[in-house]
Short mmCIF file of all heavy atoms in Angstrom, two decimals:
data_model
loop_
_atom_site.label_atom_id
_atom_site.label_comp_id
_atom_site.label_asym_id
_atom_site.label_seq_id
_atom_site.Cartn_x
_atom_site.Cartn_y
_atom_site.Cartn_z
N LYS A 1 -22.28 -31.42 -45.70
CA LYS A 1 -21.99 -30.32 -44.84
C LYS A 1 -20.98 -30.62 -43.76
O LYS A 1 -20.12 -29.81 -43.46
CB LYS A 1 -23.32 -29.75 -44.23
CG LYS A 1 -24.24 -29.08 -45.25
CD LYS A 1 -25.51 -28.59 -44.58
CE LYS A 1 -25.35 -27.35 -43.72
NZ LYS A 1 -26.58 -26.76 -43.28
N LEU A 2 -21.01 -31.85 -43.25
CA LEU A 2 -20.03 -32.25 -42.22
C LEU A 2 -18.68 -32.29 -42.89
O LEU A 2 -17.64 -31.79 -42.34
CB LEU A 2 -20.40 -33.64 -41.76
CG LEU A 2 -19.46 -34.18 -40.71
CD1 LEU A 2 -19.31 -33.28 -39.48
CD2 LEU A 2 -19.85 -35.67 -40.29
N ALA A 3 -18.55 -32.76 -44.17
CA ALA A 3 -17.30 -32.84 -44.81
C ALA A 3 -16.80 -31.39 -45.11
O ALA A 3 -15.57 -31.13 -44.98
CB ALA A 3 -17.38 -33.64 -46.13
N LEU A 4 -17.71 -30.50 -45.45
CA LEU A 4 -17.31 -29.12 -45.70
C LEU A 4 -16.79 -28.44 -44.36
O LEU A 4 -15.83 -27.74 -44.41
CB LEU A 4 -18.46 -28.33 -46.29
CG LEU A 4 -18.18 -26.88 -46.74
CD1 LEU A 4 -17.08 -26.90 -47.80
CD2 LEU A 4 -19.47 -26.30 -47.29
N ARG A 5 -17.48 -28.75 -43.30
CA ARG A 5 -17.11 -28.15 -42.03
C ARG A 5 -15.69 -28.61 -41.67
O ARG A 5 -14.81 -27.87 -41.13
CB ARG A 5 -18.04 -28.55 -40.92
CG ARG A 5 -19.36 -27.83 -40.96
CD ARG A 5 -20.18 -28.09 -39.80
NE ARG A 5 -21.53 -27.43 -39.83
CZ ARG A 5 -22.59 -28.04 -40.15
NH1 ARG A 5 -22.56 -29.33 -40.44
NH2 ARG A 5 -23.78 -27.39 -40.22
N GLU A 6 -15.39 -29.82 -42.00
CA GLU A 6 -14.00 -30.40 -41.74
C GLU A 6 -12.96 -29.63 -42.51
O GLU A 6 -11.83 -29.36 -42.04
CB GLU A 6 -13.99 -31.92 -42.00
CG GLU A 6 -14.81 -32.70 -41.02
CD GLU A 6 -14.84 -34.20 -41.44
OE1 GLU A 6 -14.33 -34.59 -42.51
OE2 GLU A 6 -15.38 -34.96 -40.63
N GLU A 7 -13.29 -29.36 -43.80
CA GLU A 7 -12.31 -28.58 -44.61
C GLU A 7 -12.17 -27.18 -44.06
O GLU A 7 -11.08 -26.61 -44.05
CB GLU A 7 -12.79 -28.47 -46.10
CG GLU A 7 -12.93 -29.86 -46.76
CD GLU A 7 -11.62 -30.63 -46.80
OE1 GLU A 7 -10.61 -30.01 -47.08
OE2 GLU A 7 -11.57 -31.79 -46.44
N PHE A 8 -13.22 -26.57 -43.59
CA PHE A 8 -13.13 -25.24 -42.98
C PHE A 8 -12.34 -25.29 -41.70
O PHE A 8 -11.66 -24.29 -41.33
CB PHE A 8 -14.51 -24.61 -42.77
CG PHE A 8 -15.22 -24.30 -44.05
CD1 PHE A 8 -16.65 -24.09 -44.08
CD2 PHE A 8 -14.55 -24.10 -45.22
CE1 PHE A 8 -17.27 -23.73 -45.23
CE2 PHE A 8 -15.22 -23.70 -46.41
CZ PHE A 8 -16.58 -23.54 -46.44
N CYS A 9 -12.44 -26.41 -40.91
CA CYS A 9 -11.70 -26.49 -39.72
C CYS A 9 -10.17 -26.48 -40.06
O CYS A 9 -9.37 -25.88 -39.27
CB CYS A 9 -12.00 -27.79 -38.95
SG CYS A 9 -13.48 -27.70 -37.98
N ASN A 10 -9.77 -27.13 -41.18
CA ASN A 10 -8.39 -27.10 -41.62
C ASN A 10 -7.92 -25.66 -41.85
O ASN A 10 -6.82 -25.23 -41.49
CB ASN A 10 -8.21 -27.94 -42.79
CG ASN A 10 -8.44 -29.47 -42.56
OD1 ASN A 10 -8.26 -29.87 -41.42
ND2 ASN A 10 -8.80 -30.15 -43.57
N LEU A 11 -8.81 -24.89 -42.52
CA LEU A 11 -8.42 -23.50 -42.82
C LEU A 11 -8.38 -22.66 -41.55
O LEU A 11 -7.54 -21.78 -41.41
CB LEU A 11 -9.46 -22.88 -43.87
CG LEU A 11 -9.44 -23.60 -45.23
CD1 LEU A 11 -10.52 -22.87 -46.03
CD2 LEU A 11 -8.09 -23.48 -45.88
N GLU A 12 -9.28 -22.98 -40.63
CA GLU A 12 -9.30 -22.28 -39.33
C GLU A 12 -7.99 -22.53 -38.62
O GLU A 12 -7.45 -21.56 -38.04
CB GLU A 12 -10.49 -22.80 -38.50
CG GLU A 12 -10.54 -22.29 -37.06
CD GLU A 12 -11.15 -20.91 -36.96
OE1 GLU A 12 -11.63 -20.40 -37.96
OE2 GLU A 12 -11.07 -20.39 -35.84
N GLU A 13 -7.48 -23.75 -38.63
CA GLU A 13 -6.22 -24.04 -37.95
C GLU A 13 -5.12 -23.23 -38.50
O GLU A 13 -4.20 -22.79 -37.78
CB GLU A 13 -5.97 -25.58 -38.03
CG GLU A 13 -6.84 -26.40 -37.17
CD GLU A 13 -6.51 -27.86 -37.35
OE1 GLU A 13 -5.49 -28.21 -37.89
OE2 GLU A 13 -7.32 -28.70 -36.79
N ILE A 14 -5.10 -23.02 -39.84
CA ILE A 14 -4.01 -22.29 -40.50
C ILE A 14 -4.03 -20.85 -40.03
O ILE A 14 -3.04 -20.30 -39.66
CB ILE A 14 -4.19 -22.43 -42.03
CG1 ILE A 14 -3.87 -23.82 -42.49
CG2 ILE A 14 -3.23 -21.41 -42.68
CD1 ILE A 14 -4.34 -24.12 -43.88
N LEU A 15 -5.23 -20.24 -40.05
CA LEU A 15 -5.32 -18.84 -39.58
C LEU A 15 -4.95 -18.67 -38.11
O LEU A 15 -4.30 -17.75 -37.74
CB LEU A 15 -6.78 -18.33 -39.82
CG LEU A 15 -7.11 -18.00 -41.26
CD1 LEU A 15 -8.59 -17.63 -41.36
CD2 LEU A 15 -6.25 -16.87 -41.88
N SER A 16 -5.42 -19.63 -37.32
CA SER A 16 -5.07 -19.55 -35.94
C SER A 16 -3.54 -19.75 -35.65
O SER A 16 -2.95 -19.07 -34.80
CB SER A 16 -5.87 -20.66 -35.15
OG SER A 16 -7.28 -20.44 -35.23
N TYR A 17 -2.93 -20.67 -36.36
CA TYR A 17 -1.53 -20.88 -36.18
C TYR A 17 -0.72 -19.69 -36.61
O TYR A 17 0.28 -19.22 -35.98
CB TYR A 17 -1.07 -22.06 -37.01
CG TYR A 17 0.40 -22.38 -36.97
CD1 TYR A 17 1.00 -22.98 -35.86
CD2 TYR A 17 1.19 -22.04 -38.07
CE1 TYR A 17 2.38 -23.16 -35.93
CE2 TYR A 17 2.55 -22.21 -38.04
CZ TYR A 17 3.14 -22.81 -36.94
OH TYR A 17 4.50 -23.00 -36.91
N GLN A 18 -1.19 -19.06 -37.77
CA GLN A 18 -0.49 -17.88 -38.31
C GLN A 18 -0.69 -16.63 -37.42
O GLN A 18 0.16 -15.75 -37.41
CB GLN A 18 -0.93 -17.58 -39.70
CG GLN A 18 -0.55 -18.58 -40.75
CD GLN A 18 -1.07 -18.22 -42.13
OE1 GLN A 18 -0.77 -18.96 -43.11
NE2 GLN A 18 -1.88 -17.17 -42.25
N ASN A 19 -1.80 -16.61 -36.74
CA ASN A 19 -2.24 -15.47 -35.99
C ASN A 19 -2.31 -14.23 -36.88
O ASN A 19 -1.88 -13.09 -36.50
CB ASN A 19 -1.30 -15.24 -34.78
CG ASN A 19 -1.94 -14.32 -33.75
OD1 ASN A 19 -3.16 -14.15 -33.62
ND2 ASN A 19 -1.12 -13.55 -33.08
N THR A 20 -2.90 -14.37 -38.08
CA THR A 20 -3.08 -13.29 -39.02
C THR A 20 -4.51 -13.24 -39.47
O THR A 20 -5.20 -14.25 -39.41
CB THR A 20 -2.16 -13.41 -40.27
OG1 THR A 20 -2.45 -14.64 -40.90
CG2 THR A 20 -0.69 -13.41 -39.86
N VAL A 21 -4.94 -12.09 -39.91
CA VAL A 21 -6.34 -12.00 -40.46
C VAL A 21 -6.48 -12.68 -41.75
O VAL A 21 -7.48 -13.33 -42.01
CB VAL A 21 -6.75 -10.55 -40.50
CG1 VAL A 21 -8.16 -10.36 -41.18
CG2 VAL A 21 -6.80 -9.87 -39.13
N PHE A 22 -5.48 -12.50 -42.69
CA PHE A 22 -5.57 -13.03 -44.03
C PHE A 22 -4.59 -14.27 -44.14
O PHE A 22 -3.71 -14.44 -43.35
CB PHE A 22 -5.18 -11.95 -45.00
CG PHE A 22 -6.03 -10.74 -44.91
CD1 PHE A 22 -5.62 -9.61 -44.34
CD2 PHE A 22 -7.34 -10.76 -45.46
CE1 PHE A 22 -6.41 -8.46 -44.22
CE2 PHE A 22 -8.18 -9.72 -45.43
CZ PHE A 22 -7.78 -8.50 -44.80
N PHE A 23 -4.92 -15.03 -45.18
CA PHE A 23 -4.11 -16.30 -45.36
C PHE A 23 -2.66 -16.02 -45.79
O PHE A 23 -1.83 -16.85 -45.45
CB PHE A 23 -4.82 -17.22 -46.34
CG PHE A 23 -6.07 -17.93 -45.75
CD1 PHE A 23 -7.28 -17.43 -45.97
CD2 PHE A 23 -5.84 -19.06 -45.04
CE1 PHE A 23 -8.43 -18.07 -45.40
CE2 PHE A 23 -6.95 -19.75 -44.49
CZ PHE A 23 -8.19 -19.22 -44.68
N GLY A 24 -2.42 -14.89 -46.37
CA GLY A 24 -1.10 -14.59 -46.78
C GLY A 24 -0.30 -13.74 -45.79
O GLY A 24 0.82 -13.35 -45.97
N GLY A 25 -1.02 -13.32 -44.70
CA GLY A 25 -0.34 -12.40 -43.72
C GLY A 25 -1.28 -11.33 -43.24
O GLY A 25 -2.46 -11.55 -43.04
N ASP A 26 -0.71 -10.13 -43.10
CA ASP A 26 -1.52 -9.02 -42.53
C ASP A 26 -2.33 -8.26 -43.56
O ASP A 26 -3.09 -7.34 -43.21
CB ASP A 26 -0.50 -8.06 -41.79
CG ASP A 26 0.05 -8.76 -40.56
OD1 ASP A 26 -0.62 -9.53 -39.86
OD2 ASP A 26 1.27 -8.43 -40.24
N CYS A 27 -2.15 -8.58 -44.82
CA CYS A 27 -2.89 -7.84 -45.91
C CYS A 27 -3.29 -8.89 -46.88
O CYS A 27 -2.78 -9.99 -46.98
CB CYS A 27 -2.08 -6.70 -46.47
SG CYS A 27 -0.60 -7.26 -47.28
N ILE A 28 -4.31 -8.49 -47.71
CA ILE A 28 -4.90 -9.39 -48.71
C ILE A 28 -3.81 -9.68 -49.80
O ILE A 28 -3.07 -8.76 -50.23
CB ILE A 28 -6.09 -8.77 -49.37
CG1 ILE A 28 -7.24 -8.75 -48.41
CG2 ILE A 28 -6.56 -9.51 -50.65
CD1 ILE A 28 -8.47 -8.05 -48.89
N SER A 29 -3.73 -10.94 -50.22
CA SER A 29 -2.81 -11.30 -51.29
C SER A 29 -3.58 -12.26 -52.18
O SER A 29 -4.80 -12.58 -52.04
CB SER A 29 -1.54 -11.84 -50.73
OG SER A 29 -1.80 -13.04 -49.87
N MET A 30 -2.79 -12.93 -53.07
CA MET A 30 -3.43 -13.78 -54.09
C MET A 30 -4.23 -14.89 -53.48
O MET A 30 -5.34 -15.15 -53.98
CB MET A 30 -2.33 -14.37 -55.00
CG MET A 30 -2.89 -15.19 -56.14
SD MET A 30 -3.86 -14.30 -57.35
CE MET A 30 -2.51 -13.65 -58.32
N ILE A 31 -3.72 -15.57 -52.45
CA ILE A 31 -4.40 -16.71 -51.94
C ILE A 31 -5.82 -16.35 -51.41
O ILE A 31 -6.80 -17.14 -51.54
CB ILE A 31 -3.59 -17.42 -50.85
CG1 ILE A 31 -4.19 -18.76 -50.47
CG2 ILE A 31 -3.43 -16.51 -49.60
CD1 ILE A 31 -4.14 -19.80 -51.61
N ASP A 32 -5.98 -15.18 -50.82
CA ASP A 32 -7.25 -14.71 -50.38
C ASP A 32 -8.27 -14.57 -51.45
O ASP A 32 -9.43 -14.97 -51.31
CB ASP A 32 -7.13 -13.43 -49.56
CG ASP A 32 -6.20 -13.51 -48.41
OD1 ASP A 32 -6.57 -14.26 -47.44
OD2 ASP A 32 -5.07 -12.94 -48.41
N TYR A 33 -7.83 -13.96 -52.58
CA TYR A 33 -8.75 -13.82 -53.77
C TYR A 33 -9.05 -15.18 -54.39
O TYR A 33 -10.18 -15.38 -54.92
CB TYR A 33 -8.09 -12.91 -54.77
CG TYR A 33 -8.08 -11.41 -54.37
CD1 TYR A 33 -6.98 -10.66 -54.52
CD2 TYR A 33 -9.23 -10.79 -53.85
CE1 TYR A 33 -6.95 -9.30 -54.16
CE2 TYR A 33 -9.27 -9.51 -53.52
CZ TYR A 33 -8.13 -8.73 -53.62
OH TYR A 33 -8.11 -7.43 -53.27
N LEU A 34 -8.11 -16.12 -54.39
CA LEU A 34 -8.37 -17.43 -54.93
C LEU A 34 -9.41 -18.20 -54.13
O LEU A 34 -10.14 -18.99 -54.60
CB LEU A 34 -7.10 -18.23 -55.11
CG LEU A 34 -6.07 -17.67 -56.08
CD1 LEU A 34 -4.83 -18.57 -56.04
CD2 LEU A 34 -6.61 -17.58 -57.48
N PHE A 35 -9.41 -17.97 -52.78
CA PHE A 35 -10.39 -18.65 -51.94
C PHE A 35 -11.75 -17.99 -51.97
O PHE A 35 -12.77 -18.64 -51.83
CB PHE A 35 -9.90 -18.63 -50.49
CG PHE A 35 -8.81 -19.60 -50.09
CD1 PHE A 35 -8.25 -19.50 -48.80
CD2 PHE A 35 -8.31 -20.47 -51.01
CE1 PHE A 35 -7.31 -20.44 -48.49
CE2 PHE A 35 -7.24 -21.36 -50.66
CZ PHE A 35 -6.79 -21.32 -49.40
N TRP A 36 -11.79 -16.68 -52.05
CA TRP A 36 -12.93 -15.86 -51.76
C TRP A 36 -14.27 -16.26 -52.48
O TRP A 36 -15.35 -16.26 -51.84
CB TRP A 36 -12.75 -14.38 -51.93
CG TRP A 36 -13.91 -13.60 -51.69
CD1 TRP A 36 -14.69 -12.87 -52.61
CD2 TRP A 36 -14.57 -13.43 -50.44
NE1 TRP A 36 -15.75 -12.27 -51.99
CE2 TRP A 36 -15.74 -12.61 -50.68
CE3 TRP A 36 -14.37 -13.87 -49.18
CZ2 TRP A 36 -16.63 -12.30 -49.67
CZ3 TRP A 36 -15.29 -13.59 -48.12
CH2 TRP A 36 -16.36 -12.75 -48.40
N PRO A 37 -14.26 -16.53 -53.81
CA PRO A 37 -15.61 -16.72 -54.44
C PRO A 37 -16.51 -17.75 -53.77
O PRO A 37 -17.69 -17.56 -53.77
CB PRO A 37 -15.24 -17.14 -55.81
CG PRO A 37 -13.88 -16.42 -56.10
CD PRO A 37 -13.15 -16.53 -54.75
N TRP A 38 -15.93 -18.80 -53.22
CA TRP A 38 -16.74 -19.81 -52.61
C TRP A 38 -17.31 -19.41 -51.28
O TRP A 38 -18.41 -19.81 -50.88
CB TRP A 38 -15.97 -21.12 -52.48
CG TRP A 38 -15.82 -21.75 -53.82
CD1 TRP A 38 -16.67 -22.64 -54.45
CD2 TRP A 38 -14.83 -21.44 -54.82
NE1 TRP A 38 -16.21 -22.91 -55.69
CE2 TRP A 38 -15.12 -22.19 -56.03
CE3 TRP A 38 -13.75 -20.63 -54.82
CZ2 TRP A 38 -14.40 -22.19 -57.18
CZ3 TRP A 38 -12.96 -20.57 -56.01
CH2 TRP A 38 -13.30 -21.30 -57.15
N PHE A 39 -16.60 -18.56 -50.58
CA PHE A 39 -17.10 -18.01 -49.29
C PHE A 39 -18.15 -16.96 -49.51
O PHE A 39 -19.12 -16.86 -48.74
CB PHE A 39 -15.94 -17.46 -48.45
CG PHE A 39 -15.11 -18.57 -47.86
CD1 PHE A 39 -13.91 -18.96 -48.57
CD2 PHE A 39 -15.40 -19.18 -46.73
CE1 PHE A 39 -13.11 -19.96 -48.06
CE2 PHE A 39 -14.62 -20.22 -46.12
CZ PHE A 39 -13.48 -20.57 -46.94
N GLU A 40 -18.05 -16.15 -50.53
CA GLU A 40 -19.07 -15.20 -50.93
C GLU A 40 -20.38 -15.92 -51.18
O GLU A 40 -21.44 -15.35 -50.96
CB GLU A 40 -18.68 -14.35 -52.12
CG GLU A 40 -19.66 -13.28 -52.39
CD GLU A 40 -19.17 -12.26 -53.46
OE1 GLU A 40 -18.05 -11.78 -53.32
OE2 GLU A 40 -19.90 -12.10 -54.49
N ARG A 41 -20.31 -17.11 -51.66
CA ARG A 41 -21.53 -17.89 -52.13
C ARG A 41 -22.16 -18.71 -50.99
O ARG A 41 -23.22 -19.25 -51.16
CB ARG A 41 -21.17 -18.82 -53.32
CG ARG A 41 -21.01 -17.99 -54.57
CD ARG A 41 -20.17 -18.76 -55.58
NE ARG A 41 -20.20 -18.01 -56.87
CZ ARG A 41 -19.45 -16.85 -57.07
NH1 ARG A 41 -18.76 -16.29 -56.08
NH2 ARG A 41 -19.47 -16.26 -58.25
N LEU A 42 -21.56 -18.81 -49.85
CA LEU A 42 -22.07 -19.65 -48.76
C LEU A 42 -23.49 -19.29 -48.40
O LEU A 42 -24.38 -20.13 -48.17
CB LEU A 42 -21.18 -19.62 -47.48
CG LEU A 42 -19.77 -20.20 -47.64
CD1 LEU A 42 -19.08 -20.12 -46.29
CD2 LEU A 42 -19.87 -21.73 -48.00
N ASP A 43 -23.78 -17.98 -48.22
CA ASP A 43 -25.08 -17.49 -47.84
C ASP A 43 -26.18 -17.79 -48.87
O ASP A 43 -27.17 -18.41 -48.61
CB ASP A 43 -25.02 -16.05 -47.49
CG ASP A 43 -26.36 -15.51 -46.95
OD1 ASP A 43 -27.13 -16.31 -46.31
OD2 ASP A 43 -26.65 -14.36 -47.12
N VAL A 44 -25.84 -17.45 -50.12
CA VAL A 44 -26.83 -17.66 -51.22
C VAL A 44 -26.99 -19.13 -51.53
O VAL A 44 -28.09 -19.58 -51.90
CB VAL A 44 -26.42 -16.83 -52.42
CG1 VAL A 44 -25.26 -17.57 -53.22
CG2 VAL A 44 -27.60 -16.57 -53.38
N TYR A 45 -26.02 -19.99 -51.20
CA TYR A 45 -26.21 -21.41 -51.34
C TYR A 45 -26.93 -22.05 -50.23
O TYR A 45 -27.35 -23.22 -50.32
CB TYR A 45 -24.85 -22.07 -51.49
CG TYR A 45 -24.06 -21.90 -52.77
CD1 TYR A 45 -24.56 -21.07 -53.79
CD2 TYR A 45 -22.92 -22.64 -53.09
CE1 TYR A 45 -23.88 -20.97 -55.01
CE2 TYR A 45 -22.22 -22.52 -54.33
CZ TYR A 45 -22.75 -21.66 -55.25
OH TYR A 45 -22.07 -21.53 -56.48
N GLY A 46 -27.09 -21.33 -49.12
CA GLY A 46 -27.82 -21.87 -47.99
C GLY A 46 -27.02 -22.67 -47.05
O GLY A 46 -27.53 -23.51 -46.29
N ILE A 47 -25.70 -22.45 -47.05
CA ILE A 47 -24.78 -23.19 -46.17
C ILE A 47 -23.85 -22.34 -45.40
O ILE A 47 -22.76 -22.73 -44.97
CB ILE A 47 -23.96 -24.21 -47.06
CG1 ILE A 47 -23.22 -23.53 -48.19
CG2 ILE A 47 -24.84 -25.35 -47.56
CD1 ILE A 47 -22.36 -24.40 -49.00
N ALA A 48 -24.34 -21.10 -45.02
CA ALA A 48 -23.47 -20.21 -44.25
C ALA A 48 -23.21 -20.76 -42.82
O ALA A 48 -22.20 -20.40 -42.23
CB ALA A 48 -24.17 -18.83 -44.17
#
């Protein structure tokens, strides 16, 4: 979980630097859909 949090920190830095809601900009694009399935599963996996 610590290793996973570190990976999420990297993604957090990208969003913060871009100052956008989505990874591709102001609207959903391919990269958001490619990331999404694992985030949808965080709760059901017990690691939200």
Side-chain angles (χ1 to χ4, degrees):
K1 291 179 73 174
L2 179 60
L4 185 58
R5 287 189 182 99
E6 290 175 356
E7 297 303 314
F8 289 161
C9 280
N10 294 334
L11 297 177
E12 174 79 6
E13 288 180 10
I14 291 164
L15 286 174
S16 298
Y17 176 78
Q18 294 179 174
N19 194 29
T20 58
V21 174
F22 300 104
F23 283 97
D26 294 325
C27 60
I28 291 177
S29 59
M30 181 66 81
I31 192 65
D32 300 292
Y33 287 132
L34 294 179
F35 285 177
W36 176 249
W38 286 270
F39 288 93
E40 183 172 308
R41 285 157 175 75
L42 291 181
D43 186 28
V44 77
Y45 283 10
I47 51 175

